[in-house]
Amino acid sequence: MEATRRRIFIGDIQGCRDELERLLEALKFDPAEDALEPVGDFVNRGPDSLGVLRLLKSLGAGGVLGNHDLHLLAARRGERTLKPSDTLSLVLEAEDAEDLLAWLRAKPFVKNWPGLLLVHAGLSPVWKDPTLELSGLDPETAHPNIDIATRIRWCDEKGNMPVPDADPPRAPGFRPWYEHLEGRLDATVVFGHWARAGIIKRQGFRGLDSGCVWGGRLTAWLAEDDTFVSVPAMRAYSAFG
């Protein structure tokens, strides 16, 4: 009987290539046998965003777009100015930048399999079909659904996020987005974006942002046997805030 191909979901990498390589080694990752699905935020704040993109592209990684990936694409278009905390200059200056960014730009905002759904940050509780709400959106064109998919942490029952965006919110009445959806989905949602919350394992949800870039860990979730594998960060690359 043929073995089931492993689907390996990896939390926010954010330019931490050394940790990514160590995690792949710990997983005994085989690109011919395994499917690699990062949760987004491939780049930024870590020391080697360029190396991460080159490695993942060479491995044929899938995955979805995160807010830092959108920031990089906007910077390439001249629509964003890099901040002091950004570590994207080497990507923008690389001789293969156009190839790498075309590969990144082609990533969707949502992917699904029977019983599984992947998104960077989360979903709105008012969406009846998350795939329909997010499919076909242009990463270079602003859309409120993109903001939700790549930035949501807290929201009210109508999917409104707190303004200003703070974690935790400064105003009452907001809950973690997934609490509004518990028991309402027929799929397990795999996501990242929430280092402060850490690993989340609850019915219907697997949160994988364990804060590698902040000095935490880089974590993978193996869908086939519902296990987590992680490696510690070599150091904190950015101040947690």
Side-chain angles (χ1 to χ4, degrees), residues 44-125:
N44 209 16
R45 294 196 172 126
D48 193 4
S49 293
L50 178 59
V52 166
L53 291 177
R54 284 173 172 167
L55 176 58
L56 291 176
K57 182 174 182 291
S58 74
L59 295 176
V64 293
L65 288 166
N67 54 300
H68 284 281
D69 308 317
L70 296 180
H71 180 56
L72 170 59
L73 295 173
R76 185 63 170 180
R77 299 193 304 274
E79 296 176 9
R80 294 266 186 95
T81 300
L82 296 186
K83 300 176 287 187
S85 60
D86 291 329
T87 58
L88 299 172
S89 296
L90 291 179
V91 177
L92 297 172
E93 297 165 1
E95 61 182 14
D96 54 345
E98 290 306 316
D99 286 342
L100 292 171
L101 295 183
W103 175 81
L104 184 65
R105 190 183 299 116
K107 300 295 180 194
F109 290 102
V110 64
K111 292 185 73 171
N112 56 31
W113 301 259
L116 275 180
L117 185 147
L118 174 64
V119 67
H120 175 61
L123 309 172
S124 170

Side-chain angles (χ1 to χ4, degrees), residues 163-239:
V163 179
D165 184 13
D167 183 17
R170 299 171 189 172
F174 295 95
R175 299 163 59 195
W177 65 268
Y178 49 80
E179 291 188 3
H180 296 282
L181 288 167
E182 286 183 314
R184 293 173 49 188
L185 299 173
D186 58 2
T188 293
V189 182
V190 185
F191 63 100
H193 188 62
W194 206 341
R196 194 181 299 276
I199 297 299
I200 295 171
K201 182 178 182 180
R202 53 197 298 165
Q203 185 66 35
F205 303 94
R206 297 293 183 270
L208 305 185
D209 187 1
S210 48
C212 184
V213 77
W214 313 113
R217 304 180 70 85
L218 185 63
T219 297
W221 178 65
L222 284 70
E224 274 58 53
D225 55 10
D226 192 17
T227 59
F228 294 86
V229 177
S230 67
V231 296
M234 297 183 70
R235 63 181 179 87
Y237 301 105
S238 188

